[in-house]
Amino acid sequence: MSAEPGKAAHEHAVLLNAIADGANEYPKPEHVNYTYGTAGFRTLATKLPSVLFRVALLAVLRSKRLEGATIGVMVTASHNPEPDNGVKLVDPSGEMLDPNWENHATALANCPTTESLISTFTTLVTHLRVDLHQPASIVYARDTRPSGPDLIQALEAGFKAFGASVKIVDVGVTTTPILHYVVKATNDKSGSYGKPTVEGYMEKTATAFKTLIGSKGPLAPLYVDCANGVGANALTEITKHIGDIIPIHPINTATTTPGALNSQCGADFVKTKQALPPSVQSAGYLSKPGTRGCSYDGDADRIVYYYLHETKGTFRLLDGDKIAVMVAMFFGDLVAKAKLEGDNKLKVGVVQTAYANGSSTKYLTSRNIPVTCVSTGVKHLHHAAQRYDIGVYFEANGHGTVLFSPQALQTLRDAQPTSPDSANAIKHLLAFSDLINQAVGDAVSDMLLVEAVLAHKGWRASDWDAGYEDLPNRLVKVEVPDRSIFVATDAERKLVHPVGLQAEIDKAMAKVEMGRSFVRPSGTEDCVRVYAEANSQVEAETLAKTVVDLVEQSSQMS
Ligand code: G16
């Protein structure tokens, strides 16, 4: 846009007219209240076109506010059922949107009329000191949901309102973590992070994996449940690069079969049911002792592993906690072998949420690995992990990654190894930092991280599993008329509302040996989640049932 006053005023009027046209084409449905939740907006896809149009406006404002830095927009509802969809914004570093801007997204999404949208938009431009003359740059992508193309149209309508001042790049159908990678790589003007394309991601990930596996390959076969989602595409691509060193067998790859996405498969199914997907069970993929399987979720930003007990044949889950523990211990060992001294010593820490199994936290702390507990949501974990030199963060549901601080990377690059062992350890730490998607949790790169660690340790799944035994637990979804009446505090380990409910939960916990339970409203689904763990499965089930009853009673009374 021109800075000449008359021309600028005219261009501003043209912009507001274009926004008004888009807003009229994508009106907000009545009686719907949107919230930018744990991972952006998420609800039935039919309720989302107006949100997509408005999110586009905010993405452009954010890019212009940051002097043209590239912002990402991902259209996905991840683990949710297929009729849902969602949208979230990605900041220039590849991280989730700055939480201060989440309220602006919510405000725009809830404007009831075209006039109120124009007014809120104009206020935001002033209040956020956005110079509309700045350029803007956006990259966007979607998962495989059938509602995706129509929602992308609404999104593009929002970008087009700004005319030529916005540069847009459509990454197409891809995983959430690849979109985060592309955003981070686009903004890294040094070019050292990698090429800002899907192929650039594949090359970088595959090269690091090959370096780490070296002569340890070929590895044992791996069965991968892709949740019938976009992870199937990414897996096919990465297999082209590394299929000779790890035989990968993709399962549940029906990305175009209506209703198949996340249905009876995927990481959320496995974690919640604590069982194999029926498709994996019936085909007997894991029947050969020692065979590993893993499940992605619908947009491939989560992963959980599993295998069948070698003598009992029972299902054994290796979830986000098990990944965090193995990886943190392994990096702790590598750092020790690197023999970095004085100020150059690197500190490894772990970030978990209240869902982390009590046994995993005990295992880590008893081995002097510091553990931080934060609220659910990648944004909370990511920021807490940035406080460590090497911060390992995983939610129990399989969402996580490892962050190397810029100082830690510099220390490793500048290190003068004192022995071949320390030189190797430093080389491996640097290769792991390239393998790991440091923008966000990533099922594909986390899978290769796990495989590389297992290969280095010479472990089978059962060796990995042997570190500690999970406390029996149960996770339940409770549908309530209004989940907003449940307000949690203390990293979501306690409820402050409804008043009195926490005292009842405390009493229920006290009756059960090693009992622990908490309640929190979901930020991605219309439900309240109840978690319970105890010394035995029967007690964990009893505690969960008692707390579910308490939640339902207090919901009826409110
Ligand atoms: C999203 C978030 C995760 C969170 C999960 C469930 O995952 O990115 O951090 O654990 O939702 O959140 P809630 O319990 O609030 O519904 P995904 O994989 O669905 O994007």
Side-chain angles (χ1 to χ4, degrees):
M1 283 193 186
S2 160
E4 291 166 42
K7 204 171 168 197
H10 171 71
E11 285 172 354
H12 193 63
V14 170
L15 168 64
L16 295 188
N17 276 337
I19 294 177
D21 287 348
N24 291 336
E25 194 178 343
Y26 298 104
K28 176 187 175 291
E30 283 179 25
H31 314 301
V32 184
N33 190 36
Y34 301 102
T35 308
Y36 196 98
T38 314
F41 295 106
R42 219 175 263 192
T43 185
L44 266 180
T46 48
K47 294 181 181 171
L48 281 171
S50 65
V51 174
L52 269 287
F53 176 75
R54 293 152 190 235
V55 161
L57 305 184
L58 193 71
V60 173
L61 290 192
R62 180 123 184 96
S63 176
K64 286 180 183 277
R65 180 69 184 85
L66 300 175
E67 298 172 356
T70 298
I71 297 293
V73 184
M74 184 69 203
V75 178
T76 178
S78 190
H79 73 276
N80 290 45
E82 191 172 288
D84 284 359
N85 214 323
V87 60
K88 60 184 166 188
L89 293 176
V90 179
D91 258 356
S93 57
E95 294 170 20
M96 299 291 187
L97 176 68
D98 178 341
N100 293 323
W101 279 60
E102 292 181 2
N103 294 336
H104 309 322
T106 300
L108 283 174
N110 286 309
C111 291
T113 61
T114 298
E115 292 69 37
S116 65
L117 177 65
I118 298 282
S119 150
T120 304
F121 175 84
T122 311
T123 308
L124 282 179
V125 170
T126 313
H127 167 74
L128 298 169
R129 287 176 283 118
V130 178
D131 177 359
L132 289 171
H133 299 105
Q134 288 281 348
S137 163
I138 314 281
V139 296
Y140 58 100
R142 66 176 174 93
D143 69 16
T144 53
R145 280 163 209 267
S147 54
D150 284 351
L151 293 178
I152 289 286
Q153 262 190 21
L155 184 76
E156 288 171 341
F159 300 144
K160 282 178 192 151
F162 292 85
S165 73
V166 182
K167 180 182 163 230
I168 53 172
V169 174
D170 180 2
V171 182
V173 175
T174 197
T175 71
T176 296
I178 292 180
L179 191 266
H180 282 255
Y181 163 87
V182 172
V183 173
K184 189 174 171 73
T186 306
N187 286 301
D188 172 35
K189 298 303 173 207
S190 76
S192 59
Y193 191 70
K195 284 187 224 145
T197 57
V198 176
E199 188 51 28
Y201 166 95
M202 298 296 164
E203 279 168 16
K204 176 178 176 170
T205 307
T207 305
F209 187 65
K210 285 179 191 162
T211 305
L212 285 163
I213 296 304
S215 58
K216 295 181 172 66
L219 308 178
L222 177 65
Y223 290 84
V224 185
D225 157 27
C226 300
N228 294 314
V230 67
N233 302 358
L235 191 66
T236 305
E237 283 310 305
I238 198 77
T239 304
K240 288 181 191 159
H241 295 261
I242 56 165
D244 53 338
I245 47 176
I246 174 164
I248 290 176
H249 299 276
I251 314 165
N252 295 324
T253 57
T255 56
T256 54
T257 303
L261 179 67
N262 294 327
S263 175
Q264 300 289 304
C265 60
D268 202 53
F269 174 92
V270 172
K271 174 69 183 160
T272 315
K273 302 274 181 216
Q274 304 194 18
L276 290 182
S279 49
V280 177
Q281 173 81 49
S282 59
Y285 293 123
L286 304 189
S287 51
K288 185 165 168 240
T291 308
R292 305 165 325 289
C294 60
S295 287
Y296 296 175
D297 69 342
D299 63 341
D301 60 359
R302 302 189 199 179
I303 185 168
V304 294
Y305 265 74
Y306 36 79
Y307 70 105
L308 298 179
H309 190 282
E310 298 188 1
T311 50
K312 298 181 200 156
T314 47
F315 171 78
R316 299 287 305 176
L317 178 65
L318 297 156
D319 61 3
D321 297 338
K322 288 269 180 181
I323 298 175
V325 167
M326 177 172 75
V327 167
M329 297 302 294
F330 177 74
F331 281 138
D333 289 349
L334 271 186
V335 164
K337 281 186 193 148
K339 294 213 180 324
L340 302 163
E341 295 301 335
D343 288 350
N344 288 337
K345 272 196 178 158
L346 300 181
K347 185 115 190 119
V348 179
V350 174
V351 184
Q352 300 185 313
T353 70
Y355 291 110
N357 195 278
S359 294
S360 69
T361 316
K362 197 169 155 197
Y363 184 90
L364 289 164
T365 48
S366 68
R367 281 154 184 82
N368 295 323
I369 304 246
V371 178
T372 312
C373 181
V374 298
S375 297
T376 292
V378 174
K379 56 193 170 200
H380 302 296
L381 288 113
H382 196 92
H383 289 141
Q386 283 170 327
R387 293 189 207 116
Y388 295 110
D389 299 318
I390 300 178
V392 179
Y393 76 78
F394 271 90
E395 294 181 288
N397 62 21
H399 215 306
T401 190
V402 183
L403 302 183
F404 289 72
S405 74
Q407 297 85 335
L409 286 175
Q410 203 51 50
T411 299
L412 290 168
R413 288 189 194 113
D414 295 346
Q416 303 290 331
T418 48
S419 67
D421 264 5
S422 88
N424 249 335
I426 291 164
K427 181 180 127 190
H428 288 148
L429 281 165
L430 284 168
F432 273 109
S433 78
D434 272 340
L435 175 67
I436 295 162
N437 185 338
Q438 291 184 52
V440 78
D442 178 343
V444 171
S445 102
D446 286 344
M447 175 186 86
L448 299 180
L449 165 66
V450 165
E451 292 302 318
V453 174
L454 290 175
H456 276 243
K457 302 218 51 114
W459 276 3
R460 292 155 68 98
S462 52
D463 302 311
W464 170 15
D465 196 16
Y468 67 89
E469 188 64 26
D470 271 330
L471 280 172
N473 59 86
R474 175 61 60 207
L475 178 59
V476 188
K477 283 188 208 178
V478 191
E479 284 179 17
V480 294
D482 179 9
R483 71 190 197 273
S484 71
I485 64 165
F486 296 88
V487 180
T489 185
D490 184 20
E492 302 179 322
R493 288 173 287 197
K494 291 202 175 331
L495 281 180
V496 281
H497 287 287
V499 173
L501 179 53
Q502 185 59 47
E504 296 299 317
I505 297 172
D506 289 343
K507 278 189 215 157
M509 284 197 278
K511 287 185 191 150
V512 173
E513 203 183 333
M514 299 184 75
R516 183 170 74 90
S517 180
F518 64 89
V519 174
R520 57 174 286 279
S522 163
T524 61
E525 294 177 79
D526 195 6
C527 69
V528 166
R529 300 200 199 278
V530 170
Y531 176 83
E533 68 181 29
N535 203 31
S536 71
Q537 194 61 48
V538 173
E539 286 170 306
E541 303 287 351
T542 308
L543 179 56
K545 166 93 179 57
T546 308
V547 176
V548 167
D549 289 347
L550 288 168
V551 164
E552 283 171 346
Q553 281 159 21
S554 63
S555 197
Q556 278 158 15
M557 278 162 17
S558 296

